[in-house]
Amino acid sequence: MNRWRFVLSIRWARYLGLAIVFAIACGLLSWWQLARREEKVVENARVAANYDAAPIPLDEALPRLDSYEPDDEWLPVEVTGVYEEQLLVRNRPLGGKAGFELLAPLRTADGSVFVVDRGWLPVGSDVTAPETIPAAPSGEVTVIARLKPGEPSLPGGTSEAGVLASIQLEEVARILDEPVYTEAYGLVASEDPAVAEMPIASIRPEPDEGPHLSYAFQWVIFAIIGFAGLGFAIRQEYRYLNAEDPEERERAAKRERKRAAKRTDSDVEDELIDSGGR
């Protein structure tokens, strides 16, 4: 036991403390990755449950202008009204290309406005606006759209040309100065009557949990490696401090014989070449 007394020193206690702190940090990061995976699992389940569901009336899904629950995401709703002047949202990339989202406020019979995202448009030649903006159906239109939560505001806000920085529904309400559904908007699925020219519609999200589970396992492995490294360092110092001990010298000789037995002919030739070169 006296041979291992060195591990009781303050120096090795500090090394152990560092290994413990490192393991705790790895554990927290692993837990974070598992939590992110769980969010993906819930999101995938929500898409599977809602995306192809039968549409329900808007006022049933959102009984108030500020109604919205996370479980409502992707739920199809049906609403009838008249489109007002369309709005653009800038900096919306798709497939590596810059573009805009085209928003169309839909005024319903009770005077409230539901914001419909009619799709994506690529930037035009001057990059400050799309080349063309497809017109929305005129007159009364029945829209089926999938609910999405409103987005937070972004620095820069609405430009002088009236282009939004994000789908910030309270900002839309400010621009229109009308009662707007401020917690959720809709990704258009269909319009009746339909128009010939439409922006590029959104597509169904692919179920994907991401690499979070493998990352979680990696952080656990890193924690184990930390303790393994500490154990290796302790073992190396033990061998150094007890190099003259007969038992340790015998173990060192056995290790050397094993290494020698594993040498290949190529290793021997390389050693001969190196010794001849010197």
Side-chain angles (χ1 to χ4, degrees):
M1 179 60 185
N2 291 339
R3 298 176 183 175
W4 295 95
R5 188 175 296 276
F6 69 92
V7 299
L8 302 178
S9 67
I10 294 177
R11 178 167 62 93
W12 282 105
R14 289 173 178 167
Y15 291 158
L16 176 60
L18 288 174
I20 292 173
V21 170
F22 178 71
I24 292 173
C26 290
L28 292 174
L29 289 168
S30 177
W31 176 85
W32 175 62
Q33 289 291 346
L34 289 174
R36 293 191 64 190
R37 175 183 177 270
E38 182 60 27
E39 291 174 359
K40 287 289 187 180
V41 170
V42 171
E43 183 179 337
N44 292 340
R46 186 180 296 127
V47 172
N50 291 348
Y51 199 89
D52 294 322
I56 63 174
L58 176 66
D59 56 4
E60 182 180 328
L62 305 177
R64 302 184 313 277
L65 295 182
D66 59 353
S67 295
Y68 179 75
E69 296 295 334
D71 287 342
D72 295 334
E73 187 174 11
W74 301 110
L75 183 68
V77 296
E78 183 175 346
V79 55
T80 299
V82 178
Y83 278 131
E84 298 189 346
E85 184 177 355
Q86 299 184 107
L87 304 170
L88 292 172
V89 185
R90 63 181 180 269
N91 297 330
R92 312 295 285 204
L94 179 66
K97 298 180 180 179
F100 299 82
E101 293 290 333
L102 182 61
L103 304 184
L106 183 70
R107 179 190 290 277
T108 64
D110 64 4
S112 60
V113 174
F114 179 64
V115 176
V116 177
D117 184 342
R118 300 188 65 233
W120 181 85
L121 298 169
V123 297
S125 55
D126 65 355
V127 307
T128 61
E131 200 71 55
T132 60
I133 299 178
S138 59
E140 188 173 83
V141 59
T142 298
V143 177
I144 294 177
R146 294 184 173 89
L147 294 179
K148 291 287 290 181
E151 299 175 355
S153 60
L154 294 177
T158 305
S159 71
E160 294 181 0
V163 179
L164 300 166
S166 67
I167 306 177
Q168 216 285 334
L169 298 172
E170 291 183 356
E171 176 67 5
V172 175
R174 185 192 67 80
I175 293 172
L176 299 178
D177 193 23
E178 296 183 68
V180 173
Y181 284 85
T182 54
E183 293 299 315
Y185 67 99
L187 297 175
V188 70
S190 67
E191 296 172 334
D192 185 18
V195 291
E197 185 181 3
M198 282 286 292
I200 297 175
S202 64
I203 61 174
R204 179 177 184 141
E206 292 292 333
D208 181 16
E209 294 181 5
H212 304 299
L213 185 60
S214 62
Y215 288 167
F217 284 134
Q218 286 178 16
W219 283 116
V220 173
I221 292 172
F222 290 157
I224 295 173
I225 290 174
F227 284 112
L230 178 66
F232 177 78
I234 291 174
R235 182 59 179 168
Q236 290 298 101
E237 181 152 335
Y238 172 85
R239 290 174 178 175
Y240 173 77
L241 294 176
N242 297 278
E244 300 303 321
D245 180 80
E247 293 182 5
E248 185 58 33
R249 292 178 67 179
E250 177 60 25
R251 284 193 287 267
K254 287 182 180 179
R255 291 194 297 271
E256 185 58 36
R257 288 195 293 271
K258 288 182 180 179
R259 282 195 291 268
K262 292 180 180 179
R263 289 195 309 168
T264 64
D265 292 341
S266 177
D267 294 330
V268 174
E269 292 176 359
D270 289 341
E271 290 178 3
L272 290 174
I273 292 173
D274 291 341
S275 61
R278 289 194 295 269

